Amino acid sequence: MMATQLTADKQVQEVLDALKGKTIKNVFFVACGGSSALMYPSKYLLDREAKTIESDLYSSNEFIHRNPVKLGKDSLVILCSHAGKTPETVKSVSFAKSKGATTVALTHELGSPLTADADFVLRYEWGKEANAFNTNYSFMYQLVMGLVSIYEENDNYQKMLSSLDQLQTVYDRALEQFKDKAEQFGHDYKDEKIIYTMGSGANYGIAYSFAICILMEMQWIHSHAIHAGEYFHGPFEILDKDVPFIILLGLDETRPLEERALKFSKRFGEKLVVLDAKDFDLKEIDESMKKYIAPLVLNHVLRLYAEKLADERNHPLSERRYMWKLEY
Ligand SMILES: N[C@@H]1[C@@H](O)[C@H](O)[C@@H](COP(=O)(O)O)O[C@@H]1O
């Protein structure tokens, strides 16, 4: 008996259907801040799965100014802006189109400036009520894994869809599992002036977004996302017993980099917050997809850590002093 074929979200499926008749040689991931960070796991996936499709990731304004010569009619440009208003990301749509590329814009806000010119718009769910299958990370995976399955021999698409279908269950369980640890983190680290984050591979984006969006933007705590592979080439000199590090361990091929960084950190560091994806119960996830799902779960759990930290510090995650208030 044939197993039931799962399908992507309707909006994603529409993009994939349209791409079937085209040639796509390269994918450009274009966004800023948190919207950029959420594309790192998809870039990692393409590096591991796509044999013929090249991919690269750019901060929106860099994309426009660097103006990659490979950008053209065989390019797919995937953009994301949560509110759909970040000017450099909005401008990247028309820039990409002027080069003949196909554009897919992810956003939470239908009708926002980002959606005006894009060839395709994917409106994702967000927040506590959202189902994980319909959120940004999931749409990204549906899209890029779908893309690979269109152009190449690759049977991982169904495995990815069935894994994403179970993601909410995994998220809910992980939050339950980590709620005490998150609370402890908030309590123990509320007075820290600096907290570093570290990861590699698909996790680097998670470490990056926690550093720049949560700690710096939303908590005004000094931070820096350190790539575990770069740790021994400068950053580890800052390690000491009173310097906090959040160290992520994933399940992808780069885990040895993270393990090496952790091993050394344990020699001299005492404020190490280690989040290891091996501790997650991922039983519903296809074995070969666990490495891709792990960073999403790490990110979800870290959001809870952020909320607890914000509560303890009496500094709401929504507070800004410059962003969206001043001209920049
Ligand atoms: N944490 C992010 C920021 O990093 C980003 O600059 C801003 C605008 O982003 P977007 O273009 O996704 O709306 O949103 C969030 O607050």
Side-chain angles (χ1 to χ4, degrees):
M1 215 174 73
M2 275 254 292
T4 329
Q5 293 287 299
L6 292 169
T7 46
D9 164 83
K10 250 177 71 188
Q11 307 165 83
V12 178
Q13 192 56 52
E14 227 171 87
V15 182
L16 295 174
D17 288 343
L19 290 176
K20 274 178 194 153
K22 287 184 180 259
T23 306
I24 295 296
K25 289 191 180 151
N26 44 42
V27 172
F28 293 91
F29 296 107
V30 178
C32 292
S35 289
S36 172
L38 73 85
M39 295 182 162
Y40 282 61
S42 289
K43 161 71 178 140
Y44 188 84
L45 183 146
L46 282 189
D47 283 350
R48 292 292 312 163
E49 303 284 338
K51 297 188 178 111
T52 58
I53 308 163
E54 288 180 37
S55 61
D56 221 328
L57 190 146
Y58 291 88
S59 182
S60 306
N61 230 356
E62 173 94 6
F63 175 64
I64 296 169
H65 289 269
R66 197 188 284 206
N67 187 5
V69 294
K70 282 185 185 159
L71 178 63
K73 66 174 181 35
D74 296 335
S75 304
L76 177 68
V77 181
I78 303 174
L79 309 105
C80 181
S81 174
H82 183 74
K85 288 188 293 207
T86 298
E88 52 266 53
T89 310
V90 173
K91 204 170 157 198
S92 294
V93 176
S94 48
F95 173 71
K97 289 190 73 173
S98 74
K99 305 280 176 179
T102 303
T103 52
V104 180
L106 279 82
T107 185
H108 182 58
E109 295 299 332
L110 276 186
S112 59
L114 182 80
T115 65
D117 287 335
D119 296 306
F120 299 95
V121 174
L122 305 180
R123 194 262 176 193
Y124 58 81
E125 292 177 9
W126 190 80
K128 301 266 185 225
E129 302 308 313
N131 181 295
F133 188 80
N134 304 322
T135 55
N136 44 18
Y137 279 100
S138 169
F139 276 12
M140 288 294 299
Y141 273 167
Q142 292 176 43
L143 185 59
V144 293
M145 199 73 239
L147 189 70
V148 178
S149 78
I150 291 175
Y151 296 115
E152 300 182 9
E153 290 279 309
N154 185 312
D155 55 9
N156 282 338
Y157 183 48
Q158 280 298 315
K159 292 178 189 161
M160 178 55 91
L161 289 182
S162 68
S163 300
L164 293 172
D165 193 44
Q166 296 299 314
L167 186 57
Q168 189 62 49
T169 306
V170 172
Y171 275 177
D172 293 344
R173 195 169 48 224
L175 287 194
E176 192 53 36
Q177 185 190 346
F178 280 84
K179 70 173 194 285
D180 294 343
K181 282 189 174 147
E183 220 153 283
Q184 192 67 47
F185 168 77
H187 177 266
D188 294 349
Y189 289 83
K190 62 180 185 304
D191 298 321
E192 297 297 342
K193 300 277 176 275
I194 182 155
I195 303 176
Y196 293 107
T197 63
M198 183 150 58
S200 62
N203 281 344
Y204 180 69
I206 311 306
Y208 177 61
S209 101
F210 199 81
I212 72 154
C213 296
I214 302 293
L215 295 173
M216 298 172 88
E217 174 187 333
M218 302 182 195
Q219 290 297 296
W220 309 347
I221 294 176
H222 294 284
S223 188
H224 177 62
I226 299 163
H227 190 278
E230 291 293 293
Y231 186 48
F232 300 103
H233 307 283
F236 77 149
E237 283 291 336
I238 208 75
L239 173 69
D240 214 333
K241 59 180 185 330
D242 56 351
V243 181
F245 275 83
I246 296 176
I247 303 179
L248 306 180
L249 284 104
L251 304 173
D252 70 36
E253 290 74 8
T254 72
R255 183 179 168 99
L257 280 70
E258 297 170 332
E259 284 176 341
R260 180 183 171 209
L262 175 62
K263 192 174 167 206
F264 187 88
S265 301
K266 280 182 171 166
R267 284 175 62 190
F268 303 102
E270 286 174 16
K271 292 190 172 177
L272 307 179
V273 180
V274 181
L275 275 169
D276 188 345
K278 274 194 180 161
D279 295 333
F280 296 148
D281 180 353
L282 303 175
K283 61 172 168 288
E284 293 87 356
I285 306 299
D286 186 277
E287 200 50 44
S288 58
M289 295 295 108
K290 285 183 177 168
K291 62 183 178 185
Y292 298 132
I293 298 299
L296 280 50
V297 185
L298 283 168
N299 185 62
H300 202 68
V301 168
L302 274 172
R303 181 75 196 192
L304 184 63
Y305 276 52
E307 285 166 9
K308 298 299 175 195
L309 186 67
D311 287 351
E312 287 281 351
R313 301 180 77 241
N314 250 324
H315 183 127
L317 293 170
S318 56
E319 197 163 337
R320 306 287 184 279
R321 48 181 167 172
Y322 312 127
M323 192 177 267
W324 306 309
K325 293 186 170 165
L326 303 179
E327 250 185 73
Y328 50 91

